[in-house]
Amino acid sequence: MAKTTKAGPVRPGGTIGILGGGQLGRMIALAAANYGLKVHVYAPDTDSPAFDVCAATTVAPYEDAEALAAFADSVDVVTYEFENIPHVTAEILARHAPLHPNPRALLTTQDRLAEKRFINGLGIPTAPFRSVDTVQDLSDALDALGTPAVLKTRRFGYDGKGQRMIREGDDLAAILAEFGGAPCILEGFVPFEREISVVAARGTDAGFAAFDPCANEHENHILAVTRVPAPGLARETGDAAVGIARQIAEALDYVGVLAVELFEVAGPAGAARLVVNEIAPRVHNSGHWTIEGALTSQFAQCVRAVCGWPLGDSSRVGGLDVEMRNLIGDQADDWRTILAEPGAHLHLYGKGDARPGRKMGHVTRLVRPRES
Amino acid sequence: MAKTTKAGPVRPGGTIGILGGGQLGRMIALAAANYGLKVHVYAPDTDSPAFDVCAATTVAPYEDAEALAAFADSVDVVTYEFENIPHVTAEILARHAPLHPNPRALLTTQDRLAEKRFINGLGIPTAPFRSVDTVQDLSDALDALGTPAVLKTRRFGYDGKGQRMIREGDDLAAILAEFGGAPCILEGFVPFEREISVVAARGTDAGFAAFDPCANEHENHILAVTRVPAPGLARETGDAAVGIARQIAEALDYVGVLAVELFEVAGPAGAARLVVNEIAPRVHNSGHWTIEGALTSQFAQCVRAVCGWPLGDSSRVGGLDVEMRNLIGDQADDWRTILAEPGAHLHLYGKGDARPGRKMGHVTRLVRPRES
């Protein structure tokens, strides 16, 4: 099939296709609507949260070549809200419409092994790692990396799913059996002081705009709190983190929003303190603070980038400090208390079932920086 | 038919029904989505801008009793984005779901004669006026009020439609014939210095929250620019304007967002300088600046009010000055230039046809106040 002839910027009134119907797709759709764009969401689940805020929907599996082609034909550009889609899906879409970020970025970042090799290939450190397919691989990897170490599936992991800490004396065969034969990676332990992330965008004109680096705290492997600016993060280290995000985006010829998660380790301020944990080829939970906290939100920035528009100003609003807290499971039951709190910005995702560990919404608070 | 049994606050996951599918309905729908609510939009036109951002739509005339009842039955609360709906429509809706603002507020504010009598009944001045149905009425009214004066239809007017300036020596019979027998009102000329408006909300708990009064400039009878704070407006006068909005809201037992347009005339600072022009029982164009300029937007505030939730903080963000400019007709062609302007917030409404005089979008700019 011929390559799409759709080219050049999407005009207001045009249609963005979004693969995936969760809260990220929903918030991209809301940002697109604000610019007068229509949105078509493709997702396998009939009750996808993004379906409630878009002009058109397709309910079909990510493997349905015919539905994918029809979807891509009906839109001006396609983007995605999560990276765990089959590579062949990306290839089908890209034949029918511009796909941003590009299939190579998707292929590289959806596989922990390919991603780490790519990052190291740029001269940027990651945790030490070994590919693991067999018990012998795992045993060798533990000999090389020591314990504790973390065994992860190469693909389809999120929020701590598909990973397990390994300690001295564990039963390796039993552990590997839990992973059901999925290709894995063993990552050596990184004694980090802080987890930070850089959410940034790159446009079709190679323009680049990063939001301020933020500090992230996790609970039960799920992001709990993001703070901007990252408390205690030296300016040189933050700048180096942004530089790493830019280097990655450029190497992937990236168009769209990406998030780079990093560990800050001991060392002199600057790049020496940074180890990349992972790359998300999409808008990211640690960027939700930008909705109220930055002049352009990560979702608006994503729309601008994939439409071929100039990127927006990513500065923080009024120089205020920002804190974003996820509402996980029944934490969202506090919605009325949060609504009554002056200046708290409540976001709920329209999910019906508040299962434990499920991201139901978030709340963002802007505060004047303390005198330093 | 029995009164609805729907009572108490709407919960996240519930559905707001919006009557009217223009940009105001669209922006209410976007705000509702942010709170995890579903939206059902009822509008007569198949290409209504709000249809692109909601979970359910009804396309039917405002006179279709059956469709109205089914619509109201399907939602938890109904609000509206414009006041020119038949009173019987409001009554049908109110039998099937809570309707906010209430039918009396709608009835009072959709008729210029009833509205002015209501306002004067509160002891608040308006332009002098006379009811006009015949040429004799018009002649008598001109004798009483002098020229120039403005003849307006009592209902269905907006953006200068349904009104005409009358000067000394005009052919009264010919002018009245232009109005095709519609009930009219003659308004005496008010020599105003400034046009301001107060956008405010009142909740089901009688809580009240006003946004800062803003100054409005019109071009060709259409709002062109809104500025906050209103340049030159004395604090006492602004406070008096907010007091008037509150008095009106309380007298109507109002729930929702309303806008009160006022003329500022010569006189000592305070209420003596204020004459009410008109009331809009809904979110208002002069409140669009609140999306980025206030801690809670007028659309979020509308959702909170009609859902029975606590009102949000209506303060301006970071004490910044705000300017909102409408993009009328082909002014929206400048979208790309506006996108490239640092800190400019572009909003487009997804309307296909940029007819002259049509509101296609708006742009909001926040700036640090000049040193005074």
Side-chain angles (χ1 to χ4, degrees):
Chain A
M1 194 167 295
K3 276 257 177 191
T4 176
T5 56
K6 296 164 188 168
V10 178
R11 295 180 60 82
T15 303
I16 298 188
I18 302 174
L19 207 67
Q23 67 268 20
L24 300 180
R26 180 175 168 110
M27 289 186 275
I28 297 170
L30 294 174
N34 183 56
Y35 287 134
L37 294 160
K38 293 186 199 303
V39 172
H40 185 158
V41 173
Y42 185 115
D45 299 327
T46 51
D47 64 347
S48 297
F51 284 173
D52 288 343
V53 297
C54 63
T57 60
T58 296
V59 180
Y62 292 127
E63 297 78 18
D64 184 335
E66 202 174 324
L68 289 165
F71 162 70
D73 282 340
S74 77
V75 303
D76 295 298
V77 64
V78 176
T79 190
Y80 42 91
E81 61 137 31
F82 79 135
E83 59 274 36
N84 292 324
I85 49 177
H87 184 62
V88 63
T89 298
E91 289 183 327
I92 294 168
L93 294 170
R95 280 199 295 272
H96 292 263
L99 176 69
H100 298 307
N102 63 56
R104 186 165 74 91
L106 183 66
L107 195 64
T108 304
T109 57
Q110 70 182 189
D111 179 330
R112 294 182 191 281
L113 184 65
E115 181 176 278
K116 283 194 166 53
R117 286 175 173 160
F118 161 75
I119 295 166
N120 290 168
L122 298 175
I124 301 167
T126 60
F129 62 93
R130 292 290 186 282
S131 177
V132 170
D133 294 315
T134 65
V135 176
Q136 185 63 49
D137 289 343
L138 181 53
S139 177
D140 292 348
L142 284 164
D143 286 346
L145 306 180
T147 52
V150 184
L151 186 67
K152 300 180 178 179
T153 55
R154 283 171 53 182
R155 297 189 55 185
F156 305 121
Y158 72 97
D159 288 352
K161 292 180 174 63
Q163 58 180 273
R164 188 193 198 292
M165 182 77 81
I166 300 191
R167 299 183 191 280
E168 188 68 37
D170 283 348
D171 179 343
L172 302 188
I175 288 171
L176 209 58
E178 286 172 21
F179 283 75
C184 288
I185 182 174
L186 187 77
E187 298 183 7
F189 180 72
V190 176
F192 63 87
E193 297 184 352
R194 192 180 283 117
E195 288 185 67
I196 65 170
S197 59
V198 175
V199 178
R202 189 166 177 271
T204 53
D205 61 354
F208 178 86
F211 297 102
D212 287 351
C214 53
N216 302 315
E217 289 173 21
H218 293 76
E219 291 169 12
N220 303 318
H221 298 284
I222 302 173
L223 181 65
V225 187
T226 294
R227 290 193 178 86
V228 192
L233 182 71
R235 187 185 190 96
E236 304 91 300
T237 310
D239 289 348
V242 169
I244 285 171
R246 182 168 198 152
Q247 193 184 352
I248 288 169
E250 289 178 352
L252 292 170
D253 194 20
Y254 200 90
V255 170
V257 166
L258 87 169
V260 179
E261 296 182 33
L262 304 103
F263 296 126
E264 191 185 359
V265 297
R273 290 179 70 86
L274 296 171
V275 170
V276 170
N277 179 28
E278 61 182 55
I279 306 167
R282 51 167 169 81
V283 291
H284 192 258
N285 196 165
S286 70
H288 290 359
W289 65 270
T290 60
I291 297 176
E292 292 87 11
L295 288 175
T296 307
S297 79
Q298 66 166 344
F299 303 103
Q301 201 71 297
C302 168
V303 170
R304 284 169 174 255
V306 305
C307 285
W309 296 354
L311 297 179
D313 188 335
S314 56
S315 311
R316 268 183 293 132
V317 168
L320 299 175
D321 288 1
V322 191
E323 179 192 281
M324 187 287 306
R325 263 177 203 276
N326 272 336
L327 300 172
I328 309 289
D330 61 12
Q331 291 174 349
D333 294 348
D334 291 338
W335 61 274
R336 208 176 156 89
T337 307
I338 297 167
L339 278 174
E341 181 190 326
H345 298 281
L346 175 68
H347 297 258
L348 295 172
Y349 306 146
K351 296 180 182 179
D353 184 13
R355 291 191 297 273
R358 196 173 195 205
K359 292 175 178 170
M360 302 300 291
H362 71 269
V363 55
T364 301
R365 297 174 172 94
L366 276 64
V367 295
R368 296 228 167 266
R370 277 184 238 166
E371 299 295 326
S372 56
Chain B
M1 190 167 297
K3 276 258 178 190
T4 175
T5 56
K6 296 164 188 170
V10 178
R11 294 182 60 84
T15 302
I16 298 188
I18 302 173
L19 207 67
Q23 67 268 20
L24 300 180
R26 180 177 169 109
M27 288 187 276
I28 296 169
L30 294 174
N34 183 56
Y35 286 134
L37 294 159
K38 294 186 199 301
V39 172
H40 185 159
V41 173
Y42 185 113
D45 300 325
T46 51
D47 64 347
S48 297
F51 284 173
D52 288 344
V53 297
C54 63
T57 62
T58 297
V59 180
Y62 292 127
E63 296 77 19
D64 184 336
E66 202 174 323
L68 289 165
F71 162 71
D73 281 339
S74 77
V75 303
D76 295 298
V77 64
V78 176
T79 191
Y80 42 90
E81 59 137 31
F82 79 136
E83 59 272 36
N84 293 324
I85 49 178
H87 184 62
V88 63
T89 298
E91 289 183 327
I92 293 168
L93 293 171
R95 279 199 296 273
H96 293 262
L99 177 68
H100 298 306
N102 64 56
R104 185 165 75 90
L106 183 67
L107 195 65
T108 305
T109 58
Q110 71 182 187
D111 178 330
R112 294 182 191 281
L113 185 64
E115 181 175 278
K116 282 192 166 53
R117 285 175 174 161
F118 161 74
I119 295 166
N120 289 170
L122 297 175
I124 300 168
T126 60
F129 62 92
R130 291 291 185 283
S131 177
V132 170
D133 293 316
T134 65
V135 176
Q136 186 62 47
D137 290 344
L138 181 53
S139 177
D140 293 348
L142 283 164
D143 286 347
L145 306 181
T147 52
V150 184
L151 186 68
K152 299 180 177 178
T153 55
R154 282 171 53 182
R155 298 189 54 185
F156 304 122
Y158 71 98
D159 288 350
K161 293 181 174 61
Q163 59 180 272
R164 190 191 195 292
M165 182 77 81
I166 300 191
R167 299 182 191 281
E168 187 69 38
D170 281 350
D171 179 343
L172 302 187
I175 287 170
L176 210 58
E178 287 172 21
F179 283 75
C184 287
I185 182 174
L186 188 76
E187 298 183 7
F189 180 72
V190 176
F192 64 86
E193 297 184 353
R194 192 180 285 116
E195 288 185 69
I196 66 170
S197 59
V198 175
V199 178
R202 189 166 176 272
T204 53
D205 60 355
F208 178 85
F211 296 102
D212 287 351
C214 53
N216 302 314
E217 290 174 20
H218 292 77
E219 290 169 13
N220 303 317
H221 297 284
I222 302 172
L223 181 65
V225 186
T226 294
R227 289 191 179 84
V228 191
L233 181 72
R235 185 183 190 96
E236 304 92 301
T237 310
D239 289 348
V242 169
I244 286 171
R246 182 167 197 153
Q247 194 183 351
I248 288 169
E250 290 177 352
L252 292 170
D253 194 19
Y254 199 91
V255 170
V257 167
L258 86 169
V260 179
E261 296 181 33
L262 306 103
F263 296 127
E264 191 185 357
V265 298
R273 288 179 71 85
L274 295 171
V275 170
V276 171
N277 179 29
E278 62 182 54
I279 305 167
R282 53 168 168 79
V283 292
H284 193 258
N285 196 166
S286 71
H288 290 0
W289 66 270
T290 60
I291 297 176
E292 291 87 11
L295 287 176
T296 307
S297 79
Q298 67 166 342
F299 303 103
Q301 201 71 299
C302 168
V303 170
R304 284 169 172 256
V306 304
C307 286
W309 296 355
L311 298 180
D313 188 336
S314 56
S315 310
R316 268 183 293 132
V317 169
L320 299 174
D321 288 1
V322 192
E323 179 193 280
M324 187 289 305
R325 263 177 204 274
N326 272 337
L327 300 172
I328 310 289
D330 61 13
Q331 291 174 351
D333 294 349
D334 290 338
W335 60 273
R336 210 177 154 88
T337 307
I338 297 166
L339 278 175
E341 181 189 326
H345 297 282
L346 176 68
H347 297 259
L348 295 171
Y349 306 146
K351 297 180 182 178
D353 185 12
R355 291 191 297 272
R358 195 172 197 206
K359 292 174 178 169
M360 303 299 291
H362 71 269
V363 56
T364 301
R365 296 174 174 93
L366 277 64
V367 294
R368 296 227 164 265
R370 277 183 242 167
E371 299 295 324
S372 58

